[in-house]
Amino acid sequence: MASAPQGQLPLFYNQLAALSSVDHAEFRVRPANTAPFLANHHAVPLTVEEFPLVQRRMPIVFSVGDDPVPLALMGLNEGVNTFLDADGKLLDEETYIPAYVRRYPYMLARLRPESEELSLCFDPTSDTIGAFEDGEKLFENGEPTELTRGILSFAEQFEQAGQRTSAFMAELKGQGLLMDGEISIQPEGAQPFVYRGFQMIDEAKLNDLRGDQLRKMQQNGMLPLIYAHLFSLSLMRDVFAKQMRQGKMPQQPVPLATN
């Protein structure tokens, strides 16, 4: 999931700069209790380790395209997040925040496309990191502080989880288990809202797998993850109901965009 600073940047990131003890010797980090960058996003990338936690609160689907990724749906419509207010503050403090969000504004990235080495980078447009007078220091006497080492460790763990997630998705594609998804939700006295533009597990194909294939998926941990995804799909109606209560419904049904 690491990306080079050149070209299209990942979701949430506006710019990337390599964190340097020389250039950013005086930088500090301010704590944040809001995530304004997340307030208008309805789908957030997930790693497979997060499926058991996320499936309790949010639907888990897969994006469309040649390289699908798992997504937690925080809303069903573009620009709608039912778990945060307009300022990016959690409406429920018990809401699970995906690691992709918690990693921001940092990430591991290749500074040169031909290099295999990953460097700790950050988004300089974030208001949580900068040459502030307050906050926790990133460097002390030219050396990374415990805070910086923790940020690097989390970024490394996320990168490793991203690799395991890529392997999981490759196996799903190899087994032909992904299918185009569709869900129709009809509010009382209104026309149905039909959501498409995402992928899900094809249960018929899953049930048709040979016993040895299912046994392998059980042993390598894939099968529980698949069922976590399938169980979570029932939450689409819960998220839809939250949108209705919050007055965040569109005038007409629109597709669930996940690409």
Side-chain angles (χ1 to χ4, degrees), residues 123-167:
D123 183 349
T125 69
S126 169
D127 59 7
T128 63
I129 179 173
F132 310 134
E133 293 185 2
D134 60 325
E136 293 189 60
K137 291 183 177 181
L138 286 165
F139 298 99
E140 192 82 64
N141 299 322
E143 296 296 326
T145 62
E146 183 177 350
L147 171 66
T148 303
R149 292 193 295 271
I151 291 171
L152 175 60
S153 176
F154 185 81
E156 290 173 338
Q157 293 171 23
F158 185 86
E159 183 69 20
Q160 294 163 4
Q163 293 171 2
R164 291 189 289 272
T165 303
S166 295

Side-chain angles (χ1 to χ4, degrees), residues 42-43 54-64 70-77 80 82-83 179-187 193-201 228-245 249 254-258:
H42 72 297
V54 174
Q55 60 96 20
R56 303 173 186 174
R57 303 295 295 272
M58 304 170 194
I60 300 170
V61 299
F62 306 101
S63 62
V64 298
L71 298 168
L73 295 182
M74 304 185 82
L76 297 188
N77 294 99
V80 173
T82 63
F83 291 85
M179 62 178 285
D180 291 336
E182 178 178 309
I183 183 170
S184 177
I185 302 175
Q186 184 164 9
F193 286 75
V194 180
Y195 291 96
R196 303 184 182 93
F198 64 97
Q199 293 189 89
M200 58 185 288
I201 296 293
H229 149 70
L230 290 172
F231 292 152
S232 78
L233 295 178
S234 65
L235 294 177
M236 282 195 173
R237 285 176 169 78
D238 293 348
V239 173
F240 182 90
K242 289 179 70 172
Q243 289 194 189
M244 292 284 286
R245 291 195 299 271
M249 296 307 300
V254 295
L256 169 60
T258 62

Side-chain angles (χ1 to χ4, degrees), residues 22-95:
V22 175
D23 297 334
H24 310 113
E26 303 303 319
F27 271 35
R28 296 172 182 256
V29 174
R30 288 172 172 167
N33 57 9
T34 62
F37 60 90
L38 178 60
N40 295 320
H41 289 278
H42 72 297
V44 178
L46 287 178
T47 63
V48 288
E49 283 90 341
E50 300 178 278
F51 280 28
L53 291 171
V54 174
Q55 60 96 20
R56 303 173 186 174
R57 303 295 295 272
M58 304 170 194
I60 300 170
V61 299
F62 306 101
S63 62
V64 298
D66 294 333
D67 296 304
V69 298
L71 298 168
L73 295 182
M74 304 185 82
L76 297 188
N77 294 99
E78 196 78 40
V80 173
N81 191 315
T82 63
F83 291 85
L84 281 74
D85 65 17
D87 296 323
K89 185 176 177 58
L90 283 174
L91 298 174
D92 181 352
E93 293 296 331
E94 296 184 359
T95 298

